[in-house]
Amino acid sequence: MSRLIVVAPGVSSIQDIGRFGLQRYGVAPTGAMDTGSLRRGNTLVDCTVGTPVIEIGPLPARFEISGAPIRIALTGAPRTLSINEKNAALDQTHVIREAETLTLGSARGATFSYLCFEGGLLAEPQYESSSLDERAGFGSPLKRRLQEGDILEIPSATAWPSERSAANPQSGLFRHDVIRVILGPQDDYFFPETISQFLSTRWRIAISSNRMCYSLDGPKLAHAKGYNIVSDGTVKGSIQVAGSGQPMVLLADRGTIGGYPKIATLTTVDMDRFVQIPPGGEVRFEAISVERAQSMLRTQAAHTALALKAASNPRGVNEDALISENLAGSATNALDPAAFD
Amino acid sequence: MYTIPRILACGDSALSVEFGDDIDDDINTRVLSLDRNISRQMIAGVIETVPTYRSLLIHYNPFMTSYTSLKRDLIPLLNNQQLSQIDTNRKWSVPVVYGGSFGIDLEMLASEKNLTENEFIKRHCQVEYRVCMIGFMPGFAYLGGLDPSLATPRRKHPRPDAPKGTISIGGEQAALQSVVGPSGWHWIGQTPLEVYAPDRHPMCLLDPGDIIRFYPVEQEAWSHESERCAAMICDAAK
């Protein structure tokens, strides 16, 4: 076992695929904001997709290793990564040795990065998840965000024939143009003109945005039948229109129940692209049917599975090593669409 | 209540079955009844359900089912659905210290309604409340059944950090808040009952459909009542 010492955490927390089954008691799933980057990183380090990782926000961060070497991969937001002041590639595995430092620059044009570890960082899941949920009192090994001086236990690296890398399988991830949505469930609380206005506006992600909710700056949207609905359930991607007329996109750490009309919901195919838009970034929405959204999701999953399969192969194929390590077999979990949430 | 429930897409991984658009016991009973039927049936692709006042939110895995096929799977449940009795309507007696620093808005609310504080407390205690839904925050219980004479519109500006155990009124709804968090409701009292605790079994003492009665206790009785509540939670775990 090795130790990762948090020298400068930026804004980071431990997240995995999320905690499901407790929304009926008011506990949100939380989990990684950008689940595609979580899956890619965990696949690179040969873990199942839901393994806990460190989600790192846009600020610079720094870690130091103590003990035996560990293997990492950093996915998500474009930013500089250096190992002992030497530049290192994103979307690639790296071995880091005793006393070496891992330095992340500021995120560029996106928000979240995922620092993934071979063997997964040591945690005791509660309700099958280690994701941080401060309000509900869940999170392992920490029930709060990372702080300077924290020490996390990481399994030591094993011998690999060569390191793995992934061409970004979601090419276009950081093109922030159009995000597809499905209208409703309360689009009937808005005039048709208001829905057209919602779909034709270039919205700006508010500075106040966080893991709970991204507010959208732009025109105020008028409610046709008042703004007090009988409170009902929310999902990741619900777009509520508050009493003030400002749309708010509810995300991983949202309240499970909301009392404002929901004009539309983000599609899963565009969710990761949306959550990576940094505060101040712009977005436009396009409405599609739920049937189309689901068929696009299946196509995307097939493409992602192929890209991840490629990512799980070492560079320069060494067939003997492949067979002995059973890499393809170990990647199966990560590629199973059923494991996707 | 709608004659035919409405099924609404909530994105591509959830749908809502809506039985009406107001707060009403019959509507909520239908929601809870469908919730229990679904949990008994094990419908393909259903991940979890969230019962609320007037609708049931169903989260599903879009790789295991689709909007169209899940809707088809739900139709027989909706057609055959009887207004069944809710089989887990357990009853809880919940102690409350009203007013003073435990319920900073009680004095103002009572005087607004030309009631003495005691009369206000009596009206708050003499009815049975139904837990209609739990959510927004962990363990936050939305209660139906408030005496209409006590209804008070929510505050214009929510306040941060309502203490855990806060008993509050917002519009025609009453609530029992279990963890510290913001609230735009009026705070009339506080209970030592810990509805929610992440490391405990049961994590959340209440379930939608449960019945609650409040009884007033003096501030001095707080620790004694806490013990009684802890024993109640122990019994529930058995």
Side-chain angles (χ1 to χ4, degrees):
Chain A
M1 201 59 69
S2 304
R3 284 175 305 179
L4 183 82
I5 301 157
V6 179
V7 181
V11 178
S12 319
S13 62
I14 291 160
Q15 299 290 343
D16 53 26
I17 202 75
R19 188 175 286 105
F20 294 90
L22 303 179
Q23 295 188 70
R24 61 193 297 109
Y25 299 120
V27 178
T30 65
M33 288 283 272
D34 171 358
T35 53
S37 293
L38 172 82
R39 302 177 77 205
R40 186 162 71 257
N42 273 332
T43 305
L44 281 167
V45 295
D46 204 14
C47 289
T48 52
V49 292
T51 304
V53 306
I54 302 178
E55 181 182 89
I56 301 166
L59 300 176
R62 198 175 173 92
F63 306 90
E64 197 179 302
I65 314 306
S66 152
I70 65 167
R71 181 174 279 109
I72 62 122
L74 187 73
T75 59
R79 66 202 309 166
T80 58
L81 167 68
S82 55
I83 298 168
N84 255 10
E85 315 304 330
K86 239 182 84 186
N87 271 345
L90 304 185
D91 295 307
Q92 189 183 312
T93 58
H94 302 280
V95 172
I96 308 176
R97 298 188 162 75
E98 166 103 45
E100 288 189 332
T101 57
L102 191 64
T103 308
L104 283 73
S106 298
R108 289 192 306 253
T111 303
F112 296 104
S113 293
Y114 295 86
L115 182 57
C116 309
F117 306 94
E118 186 195 354
L121 66 80
L122 212 70
E124 283 173 35
Q126 296 156 289
Y127 295 91
E128 293 167 43
S129 170
S130 301
S131 286
L132 174 66
D133 185 341
E134 268 182 290
R135 176 156 286 154
F138 288 122
S140 173
L142 296 167
K143 288 187 172 36
R144 53 164 174 76
R145 287 181 189 163
L146 266 56
Q147 285 174 5
E148 186 187 329
D150 282 340
I151 295 175
L152 301 168
E153 291 196 85
I154 315 280
S156 310
T158 58
W160 281 14
S162 65
E163 298 306 316
R164 298 172 175 181
S165 67
N168 194 334
Q170 286 144 309
S171 53
L173 177 65
F174 301 109
R175 276 175 43 241
H176 300 145
D177 37 30
V178 177
I179 296 290
R180 277 133 325 175
V181 298
I182 296 159
L183 290 178
Q186 277 106 25
D187 47 323
D188 56 346
Y189 273 68
F190 300 89
F191 298 111
E193 308 87 87
T194 312
I195 292 175
S196 310
Q197 187 187 17
F198 169 70
L199 295 172
S200 61
T201 297
R202 285 199 75 83
W203 299 95
R204 191 178 286 274
I205 308 285
I207 301 301
S208 62
S209 297
N210 54 37
R211 284 180 43 92
M212 195 182 287
C213 156
Y214 286 9
S215 298
L216 303 176
D217 290 335
K220 301 293 173 212
L221 297 180
H223 297 85
K225 305 192 266 185
Y227 57 82
N228 274 307
I229 58 161
V230 175
S231 301
D232 67 0
T234 64
V235 302
K236 186 180 181 187
S238 293
I239 308 176
Q240 284 198 147
V241 180
S244 65
Q246 184 175 38
M248 304 156 79
V249 188
L250 305 183
L251 295 165
D253 289 357
R254 69 188 185 277
T256 53
I257 283 174
Y260 294 119
K262 296 172 271 297
I263 192 168
T265 313
L266 301 184
T267 54
T268 306
V269 274
D270 289 343
M271 185 74 72
D272 295 342
R273 226 155 40 89
F274 178 80
V275 299
Q276 286 286 12
I277 305 176
E282 290 190 342
V283 61
R284 207 167 64 70
F285 297 110
E286 179 191 324
I288 61 171
S289 68
V290 56
E291 290 81 8
R292 176 149 164 69
Q294 292 184 334
S295 100
M296 288 169 69
L297 184 57
R298 292 194 178 89
T299 311
Q300 187 199 45
H303 286 148
T304 309
L306 280 176
L308 290 184
K309 195 156 193 156
S312 69
N313 291 329
R315 275 189 307 173
V317 181
N318 173 339
E319 282 184 11
D320 292 340
L322 256 181
I323 290 158
S324 68
E325 298 254 327
N326 190 20
L327 289 175
S330 64
T332 309
N333 274 344
L335 304 178
D336 178 7
F340 181 84
D341 280 299
Chain B
M1 194 183 311
Y2 308 143
T3 27
I4 302 166
R6 299 208 300 165
I7 296 183
L8 304 167
C10 303
D12 51 38
S13 309
L15 63 78
S16 167
V17 183
E18 200 176 274
F19 291 90
D21 58 3
D22 45 13
I23 296 175
D24 172 285
D25 269 5
D26 288 344
I27 294 173
N28 190 241
T29 302
R30 292 209 171 216
V31 171
L32 299 179
S33 174
L34 177 64
D35 181 45
R36 293 196 164 94
N37 285 340
I38 288 178
S39 71
R40 276 194 286 265
Q41 305 257 341
M42 301 281 292
I43 297 173
V46 171
I47 299 170
E48 62 181 303
T49 54
V50 185
T52 67
Y53 279 122
R54 47 71 180 262
S55 62
L56 184 71
L57 180 64
I58 304 172
H59 293 271
Y60 62 89
N61 182 335
F63 293 103
M64 291 175 68
T65 183
S66 68
Y67 181 61
T68 315
S69 48
L70 182 54
K71 264 203 315 199
R72 204 169 37 226
D73 290 344
L74 289 172
I75 287 167
L77 292 179
L78 296 174
N79 286 346
N80 301 333
Q81 206 194 357
Q82 307 290 323
L83 260 179
S84 61
Q85 279 301 310
I86 300 156
D87 47 14
T88 65
N89 54 355
R90 301 171 300 175
K91 294 194 177 192
W92 306 100
S93 283
V94 177
V96 179
V97 179
Y98 284 95
S101 61
F102 288 77
I104 55 176
D105 298 325
L106 176 66
E107 192 181 345
M108 194 204 66
L109 251 59
S111 79
E112 232 174 55
K113 297 175 189 313
N114 284 323
L115 296 173
T116 62
E117 286 188 31
N118 277 340
E119 182 57 28
F120 193 103
I121 293 168
K122 201 177 136 198
R123 291 190 192 183
H124 189 258
C125 286
Q126 72 190 2
V127 292
E128 282 193 335
Y129 297 89
R130 174 217 284 262
V131 177
C132 291
M133 62 179 182
I134 296 173
F136 174 54
M137 284 188 286
F140 186 104
Y142 292 79
L143 310 176
L146 182 72
D147 181 331
S149 70
L150 303 186
T152 313
R154 285 167 226 196
R155 293 169 52 88
K156 272 224 174 70
H157 302 286
R159 289 172 292 199
D161 298 344
K164 67 178 185 181
T166 295
I167 306 296
S168 57
I169 289 176
E172 292 155 22
Q173 302 166 51
L176 197 174
Q177 177 166 343
S178 45
V179 299
V180 177
S183 163
W185 296 27
H186 304 276
W187 306 348
I188 61 166
Q190 210 179 330
T191 177
L193 177 69
E194 279 195 67
V195 168
Y196 173 87
D199 300 320
R200 181 185 75 191
H201 175 75
M203 177 193 75
C204 186
L205 181 67
L206 303 176
D207 254 311
D210 284 2
I211 303 294
I212 285 184
R213 255 197 123 104
F214 295 115
Y215 63 93
V217 297
E218 296 301 322
Q219 191 179 330
E220 294 71 35
W222 183 271
S223 62
H224 171 75
E225 292 292 336
S226 311
E227 283 168 28
R228 195 188 79 78
C229 289
M232 191 158 97
I233 292 164
C234 271
D235 287 346
K238 280 169 195 163

